[in-house]
Amino acid sequence: MIKNGSHAVKEEDKVESSSFSHSPEKRKRVIRVWCDGCYDMVHYGHSNQLRQAKAMGDYLVVGVHTDEEISKHKGPPVFTQAERYKMIRAIKWVDEIVEGAPYVTTLETLDKYNCDFCVHGDDITLTVDGKDTYDEVKRMGRYRECKRTQGVSTTDLVGRMLLLTKSHHSNVDNTAYQLHTDNFGKGPKGHSPWTGVSQFLQTSQKIIQFASGKEPQPGDTIIYVAGAFDLFHIGHVDFLETVHKQAEKPYVIVGLHFDQEVNRYKGKNYPIMNIHERTLSVLACRYVSEVVIGAPYAVGKDLLDHFKVDLVCHGKTEVFPDTDGTDPYTEPKKRGVFRILDSGNNLTSDDIVQRIIENRLQFEARNQKKEAKEMAVIEALKHKEDSLKTETALTNN
């Protein structure tokens, strides 16, 4: 066991890091990067931040805050710290995680984990009393910034769950959805550019950045799984990890169903995330090799032959019949390559939505409080900028 502050971390739970020495000689060759955060309701925006951070160095260490720290500064998280630790470990750009990382990032923390600098998005993170949590490392030149992913935020996703509209689906006009989101979490002084909602636009470049680009190699076992993988969560991670363990050299292909297909068998306003968003969420997982975007619901002969599939897996969740009433897994069952797996985790997207609904008022209050603090900082920065302009003008005269 390795002690991390007051939190014990099992060595086997950590992402392998033994090949990296902490010696000064080694550090000349290995740039160690620090990221930290709440990572509550982890989405592809978080993954993209970690991808960008990893690209700035060689080895990425991610600090994750405790439930207690988050509750103190922001309000209670949706996911427990154990769930959040596991989600971050599953992101393929992460080399090591630090459980119970302090909410305010200091030079002491960076030095303790031999990190050259820390990376954060171009938004702002504030303590309970409105101070920038990265102030010290910014002043000391140990801070780098990456671009925030437009079109996704926890606020936005929570809004979708509560609104029960389908306007976020990929082929639906989003005017009605925008009217609703304009009011969700909005403070009395308007929207913060960091907490507010914007539309996500998928590009081929973004998919390339997330994709592994690796082809199956001789001796690989090609495993196919299919589903919605909506609100990509710890239940999905545990299932995909179980799938990955089915072979010595697994090549896991995830078939993602189009939004309308998911809505056919799930109903309500599902999927909460559209096909473009779900693609990036799944590609960020270290157990996934490839994604089929808009996979056919029936796992038929053509798909199995095209990808040379050795094994088809499904979890303990219900298998809905195809539009014609047939079993979508008829062909793999006939070939004897179908396997039902029990990951030991029965968490579903429905459970997450239920958590949100039960804590709706608390969550809305948390977002409004967060946005109010951000707006105060924006006003202060604007005031400072105006004062500098006035000072410059007076000096020039």
Side-chain angles (χ1 to χ4, degrees):
M1 299 274 274
I2 294 176
K3 288 284 183 184
N4 237 334
S6 60
H7 299 275
V9 184
K10 289 181 183 174
E11 187 63 35
E12 62 265 28
D13 285 344
K14 295 183 69 178
V15 179
E16 184 57 49
S17 61
S18 59
S19 59
F20 290 85
S21 166
H22 288 194
S23 69
E25 182 187 342
K26 197 76 176 174
R27 281 198 60 209
K28 287 177 186 174
R29 291 184 281 117
V30 177
I31 297 172
R32 291 171 62 90
V33 181
W34 173 272
C35 278
D36 57 26
C38 304
Y39 301 106
D40 193 23
M41 281 188 65
V42 173
H43 50 66
Y44 61 92
H46 294 121
S47 301
N48 195 37
Q49 181 226 356
L50 297 173
R51 179 191 66 80
Q52 291 179 82
K54 178 67 178 277
M56 294 183 192
D58 307 300
Y59 189 83
L60 180 61
V61 182
V62 181
V64 184
H65 310 317
T66 61
D67 296 345
E68 188 183 350
E69 278 280 89
I70 297 169
S71 297
K72 178 185 167 186
H73 293 279
K74 287 176 76 172
V78 177
F79 286 90
T80 67
Q81 59 200 43
E83 290 171 324
R84 292 183 289 107
Y85 297 153
K86 196 159 193 178
M87 280 300 293
I88 294 301
R89 278 195 180 92
I91 294 174
K92 63 185 178 184
W93 297 287
V94 176
D95 296 297
E96 184 182 331
I97 89 149
V98 172
E99 298 183 1
Y103 200 82
V104 175
T105 310
T106 61
L107 292 179
E108 185 186 353
T109 299
L110 295 189
D111 292 341
K112 182 178 178 180
Y113 297 99
N114 294 324
C115 291
D116 298 82
F117 53 85
C118 79
V119 176
H120 187 66
D122 53 2
D123 55 342
I124 194 162
T125 306
L126 305 168
T127 62
V128 67
D129 50 3
K131 290 178 183 171
D132 182 353
T133 58
Y134 295 98
D135 180 59
E136 183 181 319
V137 289
K138 282 178 178 177
R139 283 188 287 106
M140 301 308 291
R142 302 269 294 272
Y143 178 86
R144 304 284 185 277
E145 210 162 77
C146 63
K147 285 186 179 178
R148 184 175 178 272
T149 307
Q150 289 299 311
V152 65
S153 66
T154 305
T155 307
D156 180 22
L157 294 175
V158 169
R160 295 183 201 182
M161 290 180 227
L162 296 172
L163 295 169
L164 296 174
T165 71
K166 298 180 192 175
S167 305
H168 53 276
H169 292 174
S170 55
N171 72 341
V172 179
D173 176 70
N174 76 336
T175 312
Y177 174 58
Q178 197 60 49
L179 286 171
H180 285 292
T181 56
D182 280 348
N183 296 317
F184 184 78
K186 186 177 180 181
K189 293 189 176 179
H191 273 313
S192 158
W194 303 308
T195 300
V197 175
S198 59
Q199 189 182 2
F200 171 68
L201 299 172
Q202 181 70 286
T203 62
S204 57
Q205 185 59 35
K206 187 61 66 194
I207 293 174
I208 290 165
Q209 288 169 346
F210 271 60
S212 70
K214 292 174 185 171
E215 296 284 332
Q217 299 302 307
D220 283 358
T221 300
I222 298 170
I223 309 174
Y224 181 79
V225 299
F229 290 89
D230 193 20
L231 291 172
F232 194 76
H233 54 73
I234 194 69
H236 296 132
V237 167
D238 283 337
F239 170 66
L240 289 169
E241 185 180 11
T242 305
V243 169
H244 197 263
K245 288 175 178 174
Q246 298 306 299
E248 199 176 320
K249 290 178 65 185
Y251 187 91
V252 179
I253 301 173
V254 176
L256 289 178
H257 301 140
F258 277 132
D259 298 343
Q260 287 64 46
E261 188 69 75
V262 175
N263 189 251
R264 175 186 71 80
Y265 62 80
K266 287 276 287 178
K268 297 179 186 173
N269 63 331
Y270 290 108
I272 304 297
M273 282 183 159
N274 67 43
I275 185 69
H276 307 301
E277 298 171 312
R278 291 183 285 121
T279 297
L280 295 185
S281 298
V282 174
L283 281 173
C285 180
R286 65 173 67 249
Y287 306 117
V288 176
S289 306
E290 182 63 288
V291 168
V292 179
I293 304 167
Y297 189 68
V299 183
K301 182 180 183 299
D302 291 346
L303 186 145
L304 295 174
D305 291 346
H306 178 80
F307 292 108
K308 299 180 173 62
V309 175
D310 299 302
L311 183 63
V312 176
C313 296
H314 188 80
K316 288 286 192 177
T317 54
E318 184 183 353
V319 177
F320 295 92
D322 204 347
T323 47
D324 60 0
T326 58
D327 179 355
Y329 292 110
T330 300
E331 184 64 26
K333 284 177 179 177
K334 195 168 78 177
R335 297 187 183 196
V337 296
F338 183 72
R339 193 177 294 175
I340 292 278
L341 301 178
D342 184 359
S343 68
N345 188 335
N346 58 4
L347 184 76
T348 66
S349 302
D350 288 319
D351 297 328
I352 295 166
V353 173
Q354 205 52 46
R355 285 190 197 185
I356 294 295
I357 289 169
E358 285 168 7
N359 296 286
R360 174 180 182 149
L361 295 176
Q362 204 171 29
F363 209 96
E364 286 182 348
R366 168 181 147 177
N367 282 333
Q368 288 184 3
K369 184 179 167 187
K370 177 174 180 277
E371 194 156 24
K373 283 197 292 182
E374 290 171 352
M375 290 302 291
V377 170
I378 289 166
E379 287 297 318
L381 290 171
K382 189 175 181 296
H383 179 72
K384 189 177 178 182
E385 195 180 316
D386 291 344
S387 299
L388 281 170
K389 280 180 184 175
T390 306
E391 213 175 285
T392 307
L394 288 170
T395 306
N396 291 339
N397 288 336

